[in-house]
Amino acid sequence: MKIPFKISAVQIKLILISFLVLAGQLVFAQQSKRLTQNWEYLKGDLGSVWEAMRPAKPGSSETVPLWSKVFLPHCFNEIDAVDPKVNYYQGAGWYRTTLKLDNPYQKGRILLHFEGAGQKTEVYIYTTKVGSHVGGYDEFTIDITEAVETFKKDKLFKSRFKGEIPIAIRCDNSRDLEMIPSDLSDFNLYGGIYRYLNLVYTPEVSVDKLFALAEVDSRGKSGQLKITGRFYNPNAIKTANVNVLVKDPQGETVFTGKNNISLSDSNQELWTAKLNKPALWSPDQPQLYTVELTVNADGQEYKHTEKVGFRHFEFVQKGPFMLNGKRLLLRGTHRHEDHAGVAAAMTEEMIKTEIKMMKDMGVNFIRLGHYQQSRIVLEECDRLGILVWEEIPWCRGGLGGEVYKAQARRMLTNMIEQHYNHPSIIIWGLGNENDWPGDFTHFDKEQIRAFMKELHELSHKLDITRKTAIRRCDFCKDIVDVYSPSIWAGWYRGIYQEYKEVSKKEMEEVNHFLHVEWGGDSHARRNSEEPEKIVNRLKIGAGADERAGDATFYGGEARFSKDGDWSESYICNLIDWHLKEQETMPWLTGAAYWPFKDFSTPVRPENPVPYMNQKGVVERDFTKKEAYYVFQSYWTKEPMLHISGHNWPVRWGEKGEEKVVKAYSNCDEAELFFNGKSMGVKKRNSQNFPAAGLRWNVVFNEGKNTIKVIAKKGKTVLTDEITQYYQTAKWGKPAKLILEKIADENGIATLEVKLFDANNAQCLEAANYVSFELAGDGKLIDNQGTSTGSNYLQMYNGRAIIRVIKNNGKSVVSARSEGVPTVFINL
C-alpha cells in the first residue's frame, strides 16, 4: 500500500450567563498551549499592520478604529449570519495580542498552529509578515522563531511591550471567485480564527507528519502497521534516534522499535510491524491502538502520539457495504460546523456534545459537508465509532483558473495528510454539486471532468486505501469510486413512496452507490393535522432528483419544498418511510440524512427562520425536533419511547373526529392510555407505516387531554406522557395578537405571542411572519437561527416564542405582524 508523498466567541456568549507555512497536522509535543484569552478584534480592514501596532494614548486619534475584547475561537459572523436585516459580513478582520514567549528547547522552534481560520490568513510579528494561508478549513502552522528573535533585539521589546511579543493576525472572507468554496454554496463562508489556535514549542527536530497505516485482512486474522515519518528539521540536523511504542486498546505494549536514521526532507519509512489477530475497530467496538514516536536529536527529545484502528472495508459492486467481513448498513447524517450564537467558532465541548448526540441517535456514518472539519470531530468519530466521508470544498460555481485549481489540490493534499490516521475515515470526497454553474462566464463539462480525474488520481496517490466520492454531478459519476446522485423523494420532487424505486434505478447505473442527502425542511414546533394535503397536486413517477430551481419558492411544478407546510409532522412521516424502506433494501450500502442540525446559509433569506437551512433533526442550539426520535426508534438498541407531539400544545378538528396518536419506540410493544383509559396494546413492526404500528385512532375531548404510553422491551418498561388541548372552533382572518410571559427564571423571561381571529379563536394554521423588538434595559436573545431565538420568523401554528435577558431592569417588548395591531408587554 502507498503512503502519502510529500506534495508539497466573541467571548463565547453563553447566552444564559453572561517565513514558513507547514501545511499540515501537528500533533502536539509536550509544550503546547491553546491561545484563547487576551485577544482584541477589529471588524474591518486597516491601512496596514502598523495601525494595529502603533502606540495610542487615551483619547488620541490613534485609538480609532475601536477594538473589542474576544476569546478564541471567534467568528466574524457569530450574529450577522442569521440577522434578517443584513447581509452577513464578508471582508477583513484583525486580531491582536501580546505573548510572553519562553522556549524551553535550546535552538528550538516557536510555532503558531492554526486548526482552521477563514478564509485567508496573514500573520505578523509586530510589523513583519511571517506567513499566510489560503483556505478556511485545513490546518496550517507558521514558524515565528526568527521573527521573534529579531524583535527581541528591538528596544521596543522591553521599553513598550515589557518583554512580550506583539502579534497581529488578519483574516479575510471577502468574496473571491478564484477561491473554493463558491459563494453560491448553501452555507456561509465564515471569517475569523474560528478553530483553536495553539502556541507550540518544539526542539530542533520534530515530527511534521506521522503516517501510521493499519491494515488487516477481511477475516481479521493478519494485521500490519506500517509507520512512516516526515520530520521538521529547519536547522538541518544530520541524524536522529527514533523509538516507537505501539500499545493495544488495553494499554499493553505489542510492538517496540529503535532506529538510528539520517534525516531527510521527504517521507521516511521507519517500521513495519506484524500483528496477529489485532483488535478490530468498528462502530460497535471502536478499539484504538496507540502509536508513540520519540525522536532524540542533538540532545533533545520530542514525543508524538497517534491513535489508529484496524478495520477492513469493502463496497461490494452494485451491492452493500462490508466492514470486517460483515454487512453494515451505513446509517448516516451530515454535519456543518455551525452553532447558535457562535457560528463556526464551536468550542471543543460543543463539538463533543454534537457528535455524542449523533451517536445517541444511532448514527454510524457521517458525511462532513462540505469541507475538512475540526480535528476534534475526527477524534470523536474514532472514539465513538462513526465512519466518515470527508471532502474538500469544491462546491458549486464551476471551475476556475490555475489559482483555483492549486487551492483544490492543496486542500485535498492537506486533508488527506492531516487526517490520514483516523480509522473512521473511509471516503475522501472530491466535490459537491459540481454540475452547478454560475461563477464564470464559461461552464465546460470536459474541463470539470479532467480536473475531477486529476483529483481522483491525486487522492489515490496520497492514499490508495480509501475510496473517492462525489455527490450530484452525473457527468463525472464514472470517475470516482463511489457516487451519490441527488434523490429527494417527497421534498424537491415527487412523493416519498417513490424512494426505493428511484434509489434502485440509480444504484444500477454505477458500480458503487451511496445515497447522501435526503430529507426535507421542518420549521421547529410547527405541526399539521393534514401534512400531505398537497399530494394530489404533485406529478408522480417523474423521478425524485433535485433540479435547477427546485430549492426556491418560485416556479416549476408543485412540490413539498415549495407548496408543503414545512411541518414537523410531514418530515416525521417522510423520515419514517425512508427508514422502514432501508430495512428492506439488501443491496443498499447506506444513506445519510441531510443534515443533523439546522445551519445558517446566505442563500435562503425567505425561509421561516430567515437565512437558515431547516432540514436538521435538531435546531441550531441542539434542541431536538420530533424527527430525532424517529431515527432513534429505528437505529438504536437502548430502549426508548417518545410520544409524537411534545411540541404540539393544541390540536384541532371537528367534534367527534378521530385523530391519530403516534409513539416512536424501539420497544416490542406499547399501550396507550388516553384520558386515563387504555386504548389497547400495539406490537411494533417496522414495516407497519407509520410509527412502526405504534399508533392509535382516538377522539379528543374539547380542551385538555392527557396522553400516556407505556412501552415494554423484555424486562424494561418505559413511560412517556404529554398533555394536548383540542380546539373545535374554526378560525377566520387573523385579527389580533396576544403577547404573554409564560416563564421567568434566572433573569430570563420567556414570551409567547399568539394570533387570534375576531372571535378569539386561535389561528392554528397561521404561518404569518412576526417580529419582536425591545426598548429598555433588557436584551432579546435573538439572531440565534432557532424557532425561539429569532426576532423575525414565521409563526408555528399561530404562535411564536422569544426570550429576554432582563438585566435587572425594565423593558418593553413589542410583537408586530402585518395586518394586525402591534402589541406590547412590560417587563
Side-chain angles (χ1 to χ4, degrees):
M1 296 295 183
K2 294 185 180 179
I3 293 291
F5 291 89
K6 182 178 181 183
I7 304 181
S8 160
V10 217
Q11 300 161 305
I12 291 180
K13 293 179 181 173
L14 295 173
I15 295 169
L16 300 178
I17 307 176
S18 44
F19 173 25
L20 178 60
V21 175
L22 303 175
Q25 176 182 16
L26 182 76
V27 179
F28 305 144
Q30 304 94 316
Q31 301 292 333
S32 177
K33 176 186 178 182
R34 281 178 175 168
L35 301 177
T36 58
Q37 302 183 51
N38 303 317
W39 287 90
E40 291 184 303
Y41 164 65
L42 174 69
K43 179 181 178 180
D45 211 351
L46 297 172
S48 79
V49 66
W50 171 241
E51 289 191 274
M53 293 296 172
R54 65 188 176 191
K57 295 180 180 179
S60 69
S61 299
E62 288 78 11
T63 59
V64 294
L66 300 178
W67 297 65
S68 57
K69 295 184 182 300
V70 296
F71 292 114
L72 299 187
H74 171 268
C75 181
F76 297 176
N77 313 107
E78 57 188 356
I79 298 300
D80 70 10
V82 292
D83 187 336
K85 301 179 181 68
V86 300
N87 295 319
Y88 83 107
Y89 177 71
Q90 291 183 277
W94 286 80
Y95 299 88
R96 68 183 181 189
T97 191
T98 59
L99 296 177
K100 182 77 172 179
L101 300 180
D102 185 16
N103 194 338
Y105 300 106
Q106 186 178 5
K107 297 182 182 180
R109 312 303 296 181
I110 305 173
L111 310 174
L112 291 179
H113 169 230
F114 292 77
E115 296 184 21
Q119 296 284 317
K120 302 174 183 176
T121 305
E122 298 173 351
V123 180
Y124 297 84
I125 299 299
Y126 192 49
T127 58
T128 300
K129 183 177 178 180
V130 292
S132 62
H133 181 77
V134 176
Y137 312 103
D138 46 340
E139 300 186 8
F140 59 99
T141 302
I142 293 180
D143 191 328
I144 63 174
T145 308
E146 279 75 22
V148 167
E149 292 306 311
T150 298
F151 184 74
K152 283 183 176 180
K153 299 173 184 176
D154 192 311
K155 63 182 181 181
L156 293 175
F157 173 61
K158 292 183 178 179
S159 64
R160 180 182 164 200
F161 292 99
K162 311 303 180 186
E164 296 192 344
I165 303 296
I167 294 175
I169 300 171
R170 180 183 185 272
C171 293
D172 187 356
N173 68 332
S174 297
R175 300 174 78 90
D176 184 347
L177 294 183
E178 285 294 331
M179 185 177 74
I180 60 172
S182 167
D183 280 292
L184 294 174
S185 299
D186 193 6
F187 56 92
N188 295 86
L189 276 64
Y190 285 129
I193 307 175
Y194 46 62
R195 294 187 193 152
Y196 287 107
L197 170 59
N198 309 287
L199 171 66
V200 182
Y201 296 123
T202 72
E204 285 186 275
V205 178
S206 60
V207 176
D208 177 19
K209 300 287 183 303
L210 177 64
F211 304 109
L213 176 59
E215 296 181 288
V216 66
D217 66 277
S218 61
R219 297 176 298 171
K221 291 187 175 182
S222 177
Q224 176 177 286
L225 181 62
K226 186 175 182 180
I227 300 171
T228 301
R230 185 189 305 158
F231 299 94
Y232 182 47
N233 181 23
N235 294 341
I237 302 299
K238 300 293 186 184
T239 61
N241 178 266
V242 184
N243 300 331
V244 70
L245 181 68
V246 180
K247 297 180 181 179
D248 68 14
Q250 287 71 45
E252 298 294 325
T253 299
V254 294
F255 178 79
T256 60
K258 296 183 179 181
N259 209 343
N260 292 310
I261 62 171
S262 297
L263 295 168
S264 72
D265 295 332
S266 58
N267 293 345
Q268 297 185 248
E269 293 187 6
L270 301 176
W271 292 276
T272 297
K274 301 289 186 180
L275 284 80
N276 186 39
K277 292 184 178 180
L280 300 180
W281 185 97
S282 70
D284 289 336
Q285 291 185 296
Q287 301 189 86
L288 294 171
Y289 284 71
T290 303
V291 179
E292 297 178 359
L293 188 71
T294 303
V295 181
N296 288 281
D298 203 22
Q300 296 179 345
E301 183 179 275
Y302 178 93
K303 288 188 176 180
H304 182 106
T305 301
E306 293 279 350
K307 294 287 188 180
V308 300
F310 290 88
R311 80 284 185 273
H312 182 280
F313 71 88
E314 177 188 3
F315 285 87
V316 176
Q317 185 166 330
K318 299 189 185 301
F321 175 79
M322 309 290 287
L323 182 68
N324 300 330
K326 299 178 181 179
R327 188 205 175 189
L328 177 71
L329 179 63
L330 296 176
R331 294 168 165 164
T333 189
H334 291 76
R335 178 182 190 271
H336 266 297
E337 210 135 272
D338 180 65
H339 194 74
V342 299
M346 293 183 69
T347 63
E348 180 173 4
E349 180 182 7
M350 290 175 179
I351 293 172
K352 287 182 174 180
T353 296
E354 183 172 358
I355 305 303
K356 180 63 163 54
M357 288 180 71
M358 292 180 181
K359 184 70 176 181
D360 289 346
M361 193 178 82
V363 166
N364 64 20
F365 172 71
I366 304 177
R367 175 174 173 238
L368 301 178
H370 295 291
Y371 40 79
Q372 179 178 330
Q373 297 197 4
S374 166
R375 58 167 52 209
I376 300 168
V377 173
L378 279 304
E379 290 166 356
E380 288 302 290
C381 289
D382 290 344
R383 186 177 68 84
L384 295 175
I386 301 177
L387 293 156
V388 173
W389 164 340
E390 188 172 34
E391 65 192 33
I392 62 170
W394 184 21
C395 183
R396 296 187 179 178
L399 179 64
E402 190 50 43
V403 170
Y404 182 106
K405 294 177 183 177
Q407 184 189 353
R409 297 183 196 104
R410 184 174 63 249
M411 294 188 84
L412 180 60
T413 300
N414 289 346
M415 178 178 70
I416 293 174
E417 291 195 342
Q418 290 165 13
H419 291 170
Y420 182 85
N421 295 325
H422 292 288
S424 54
I425 298 176
I426 56 173
I427 290 173
W428 299 121
L430 306 183
N432 178 66
E433 298 179 353
N434 301 105
D435 59 354
W436 193 303
D439 277 347
F440 307 99
T441 56
H442 59 281
F443 185 80
D444 190 317
K445 292 183 179 180
E446 289 306 313
Q447 289 182 358
I448 292 173
R449 278 184 57 83
F451 191 58
M452 191 70 74
K453 288 179 182 177
E454 180 184 339
L455 294 181
H456 171 75
E457 291 168 0
L458 175 59
S459 177
H460 282 317
K461 182 179 181 181
L462 294 166
D463 180 6
I464 196 62
T465 69
R466 293 180 173 99
K467 303 301 182 183
T468 63
I470 56 172
R471 177 194 163 269
R472 214 199 94 167
C473 186
D474 278 358
F475 61 82
C476 286
K477 65 183 180 183
D478 61 311
I479 295 172
V480 292
D481 301 320
V482 178
Y483 181 66
S484 173
S486 182
I487 304 172
W488 288 89
W491 190 244
Y492 291 125
R493 288 276 159 173
I495 57 176
Y496 55 70
Q497 288 88 346
E498 297 176 286
Y499 165 65
K500 183 190 289 188
E501 178 185 353
V502 173
S503 295
K504 193 169 193 304
K505 180 185 176 205
E506 292 285 355
M507 178 274 294
E508 291 170 346
E509 294 185 5
V510 294
N511 287 332
H512 302 122
F513 166 88
L514 175 58
H515 181 207
V516 296
E517 296 197 28
W518 62 275
D521 288 89
S522 62
H523 188 30
R525 302 170 191 267
R526 178 181 289 172
N527 291 277
S528 177
E529 297 287 0
E530 297 180 277
E532 300 178 33
K533 61 185 176 184
I534 73 159
V535 72
N536 61 354
R537 297 167 51 194
L538 303 179
K539 185 176 181 180
I540 311 300
D545 56 313
E546 178 190 3
R547 304 172 195 176
D550 281 355
T552 74
F553 293 114
Y554 303 96
E557 298 169 352
R559 52 193 182 272
F560 275 100
S561 61
K562 176 172 73 75
D563 305 292
D565 57 24
W566 283 47
S567 67
E568 292 201 56
S569 309
Y570 176 72
I571 291 304
C572 284
N573 285 347
L574 181 149
I575 291 170
D576 194 348
W577 182 271
H578 278 72
L579 297 182
K580 92 166 183 75
E581 292 288 77
Q582 287 168 15
E583 292 193 353
T584 63
M585 299 161 70
W587 45 266
L588 182 65
T589 54
Y593 181 87
W594 176 264
F596 179 71
K597 183 171 68 172
D598 290 350
F599 63 92
S600 68
T601 168
V603 301
R604 297 178 185 262
E606 298 176 294
N607 277 8
V609 177
Y611 296 113
M612 286 297 300
N613 188 313
Q614 295 177 251
K615 295 183 179 70
V617 299
V618 302
E619 291 197 72
R620 198 174 180 235
D621 62 355
F622 293 147
T623 300
K624 295 173 183 175
K625 300 183 188 179
E626 295 287 280
Y628 183 92
Y629 303 100
V630 183
F631 278 102
Q632 270 197 330
S633 71
Y634 279 90
W635 285 359
T636 62
K637 297 177 182 178
E638 185 73 21
M640 58 77 59
L641 169 66
H642 181 85
I643 298 172
S644 176
H646 276 255
N647 59 8
W648 192 358
V650 183
R651 297 190 66 170
W652 64 91
E654 302 291 340
K655 184 176 181 180
E657 180 184 358
E658 283 194 341
K659 296 290 181 179
V660 177
V661 171
K662 296 184 290 187
Y664 297 113
S665 177
N666 57 9
C667 292
D668 299 326
E669 61 181 45
E671 183 175 9
L672 169 65
F673 293 87
F674 188 74
N675 291 325
K677 179 182 177 181
S678 173
M679 306 304 291
V681 175
K682 296 294 181 76
K683 301 288 185 179
R684 186 180 191 278
N685 174 6
S686 67
Q687 298 307 297
N688 186 349
F689 175 85
L694 303 181
R695 62 185 184 275
W696 299 261
N697 291 328
V698 300
V699 176
F700 277 73
N701 296 330
E702 178 82 22
K704 183 178 179 181
N705 295 268
T706 59
I707 302 169
K708 181 169 77 171
V709 174
I710 298 175
K712 297 179 181 179
K713 188 172 187 177
K715 296 182 180 180
T716 301
V717 179
L718 301 178
T719 301
D720 191 24
E721 187 170 358
I722 64 172
T723 297
Q724 288 184 318
Y725 288 80
Y726 190 67
Q727 177 177 315
T728 59
K730 295 179 173 59
W731 55 89
K733 180 181 178 181
K736 66 179 181 180
L737 295 168
I738 294 180
L739 180 61
E740 297 178 313
K741 181 171 67 174
I742 60 173
D744 196 335
E745 188 175 6
N746 299 322
I748 294 178
T750 301
L751 309 181
E752 182 178 53
V753 65
K754 294 180 180 178
L755 187 61
F756 294 84
D757 70 4
N759 296 317
N760 295 320
Q762 188 176 351
C763 304
L764 292 172
E765 286 187 303
N768 304 49
Y769 279 97
V770 62
S771 60
F772 297 100
E773 294 183 1
L774 179 147
D777 302 312
K779 185 182 185 308
L780 294 176
I781 300 176
D782 59 357
N783 295 324
Q784 302 298 297
T786 65
S787 65
T788 61
S790 301
N791 61 42
Y792 179 75
L793 76 164
Q794 282 185 11
M795 290 184 171
Y796 25 88
N797 302 120
R799 68 188 183 108
I801 292 171
I802 191 74
R803 295 184 175 91
V804 177
I805 302 173
K806 296 191 296 183
N807 289 328
N808 296 315
K810 296 181 179 180
S811 301
V812 178
V813 178
S814 66
R816 181 172 59 86
S817 186
E818 186 175 347
V820 296
T822 300
V823 292
F824 302 87
I825 189 171
N826 292 307
L827 296 177

